[in-house]
Amino acid sequence: MAKYTGPDCRLCRREGCKLYLKGAKCNSGKCPILTKYAPPGDHGKGRRKASGYSVQLREKQKTKRFYGVTEKQFKMYYDKASEMRGVTGENMLTLIERRLDNVVYRMGLGTSRAMARQIVNHGHITVNGKSVDIPSYIVKAGDVISVKENKKDSALWTEVKETKNLSIVKWLSFDNATLTGTVVSLPERADIDLDIQEHLIVELYSK
């Protein structure tokens, strides 16, 4: 799948929910999902009742767009999850949740996953003291993720440093004064706060 370069808000309208692709705008009254109820396109309001396949496909597309991964990457996570012990759908989500760009977003260093991915791509992040510029890097329990020392004085992090009572998922810890976080434990399904019905995705891929 080629990289999507169109309006992010159009994707939210297509999936009928907030995908949180635009940072602060998603939590404001300017979010189009609050004012434009129909899917994009001239015939959005007149669409027929969704079939079973359509519901499964939309759930997969929604999840891909939540995390900003390509079709090839998403299928790879599914294949890997299906070889692991446990529930395939839950394994798949926890694998994607462990992506470095998502971890950077979860720590509050980026206002959206797209911004977090750019931060990683531009070489701002280290893992266990080593520079990592691969957004799809999978973190492990005990990994220490930090902003590079020579990047910590950037104006990009001013607001993060000044934020008090920063809300962080329980499987991560983060010190906003030093811009350093730790993967306390691997995420579980209950730790993922996204509205995803992963069993629909497994049903789609298992056909």
Side-chain angles (χ1 to χ4, degrees), residues 79-126:
D79 289 341
K80 188 171 182 179
S82 63
E83 297 174 355
M84 298 167 60
R85 289 184 178 180
V87 181
T88 299
E90 295 182 3
N91 290 339
M92 178 184 66
L93 288 184
T94 54
L95 273 175
I96 303 175
E97 189 75 9
R98 289 166 57 192
R99 284 173 55 100
L100 182 58
D101 55 357
N102 181 70
V103 172
V104 170
Y105 166 72
R106 291 292 194 184
M107 292 195 303
L109 294 174
T111 58
S112 66
R113 288 179 175 84
M115 180 180 177
R117 186 158 46 253
Q118 191 173 43
I119 289 169
V120 176
N121 271 327
H122 288 186
H124 289 271
I125 301 298
T126 64

Side-chain angles (χ1 to χ4, degrees), residues 1 60-61 64 69-75 205:
M1 181 187 77
K60 184 198 71 168
Q61 296 296 86
K64 280 169 45 184
V69 299
T70 64
E71 176 65 34
K72 183 178 179 180
Q73 288 174 319
F74 197 80
K75 182 60 164 60
Y205 277 132

